[in-house]
């Protein structure tokens, strides 16, 4: 079942790369008591994700945070090493929290997993964005096609705030 507006995010664990190595962050660590813009990509470094989706959030980070957002986070079904490298390569490590959902457990729990095996990617996340207030989804936009960034991009997030 797909998560909906008004639902609380499930308990989950993510891995985040830091200067000292990987650390575990729980759903509570990321979302409790905070307003968070969370967006998901099918894969770090993939063309649409790397050249279109993530850059908009990096460019608009200050404008999004000026709307009362505590954290902008991206989640992907990639390991923490890949997400850490993506943070550095994109220049987003000080603006975006890069959450690794390596086994896709969070993605499956919210019902936004997609099988991209035919394209060689395996089980991944659908592309979406959501606004989360203290752990509760207040807005959710899911892209119809994995390669499109219309309703889940930074401009759409700014409009939802």
């Amino acid at each position: 079942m797909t998560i909906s507006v008004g639902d609380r995010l499930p308990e989950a664990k993510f891995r985040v790369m830091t200067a000292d190595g990987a650390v575990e962050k729980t759903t509570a660590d990321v979302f409790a008591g905070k307003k968070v813009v969370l967006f998901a990509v099918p894969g770090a470094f993939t063309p649409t994700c790397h050249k279109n989706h993530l850059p908009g959030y990096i460019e608009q980070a200050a404008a999004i945070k000026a709307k009362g957002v505590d954290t902008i986070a991206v989640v992907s079904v990639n390991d923490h090493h890949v997400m850490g490298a993506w943070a550095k390569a994109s220049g987003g490590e000080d603006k975006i929290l890069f959450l690794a959902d390596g086994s896709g457990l969070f993605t499956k729990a919210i019902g936004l997993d997609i099988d991209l095996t035919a394209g060689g990617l395996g089980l991944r996340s659908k592309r979406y964005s959501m606004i989360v207030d203290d752990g509760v989804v207040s807005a959710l936009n899911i892209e119809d096609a994995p390669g499109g960034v219309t309703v889940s991009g930074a401009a759409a997030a700014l409009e939802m705030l």
Side-chain angles (χ1 to χ4, degrees), residues 52-65:
N52 188 355
H53 206 181
L54 177 62
Y57 280 95
I58 293 171
E59 292 163 10
Q60 295 296 326
I64 291 170
K65 289 182 178 178

Side-chain angles (χ1 to χ4, degrees), residues 30-31 34-40 57 64-65 67-75 96-97 99 128-133 152-154 156-158 160-161:
V30 177
F31 300 99
K34 299 174 190 163
K35 183 174 202 143
V36 178
V37 171
L38 175 68
F39 68 103
Y57 280 95
I64 291 170
K65 289 182 178 178
K67 298 265 188 174
V69 171
D70 298 296
T71 305
I72 303 166
V74 60
V75 64
I96 311 288
L97 178 62
L99 301 171
Y128 65 86
S129 67
M130 65 173 68
I131 297 174
V132 183
D133 290 301
S152 67
L158 272 167
M160 290 189 298
L161 293 168

Side-chain angles (χ1 to χ4, degrees), residues 124-145:
R124 297 294 181 121
S125 175
K126 291 182 180 179
R127 187 182 307 282
Y128 65 86
S129 67
M130 65 173 68
I131 297 174
V132 183
D133 290 301
D134 192 21
V136 176
V137 178
S138 61
L140 174 63
N141 290 311
I142 305 168
E143 295 289 349
D144 290 332

Side-chain angles (χ1 to χ4, degrees), residues 86-151:
W86 195 31
K88 287 180 183 174
S90 67
E93 59 191 332
D94 293 330
K95 297 177 181 177
I96 311 288
L97 178 62
F98 287 75
L99 301 171
D101 183 23
S103 298
L105 298 177
F106 172 77
T107 299
K108 289 176 193 168
I110 62 171
L112 290 172
D113 52 311
I114 186 171
D115 188 348
L116 298 176
T117 302
L121 296 173
L123 299 176
R124 297 294 181 121
S125 175
K126 291 182 180 179
R127 187 182 307 282
Y128 65 86
S129 67
M130 65 173 68
I131 297 174
V132 183
D133 290 301
D134 192 21
V136 176
V137 178
S138 61
L140 174 63
N141 290 311
I142 305 168
E143 295 289 349
D144 290 332
V149 179
T150 53
V151 301

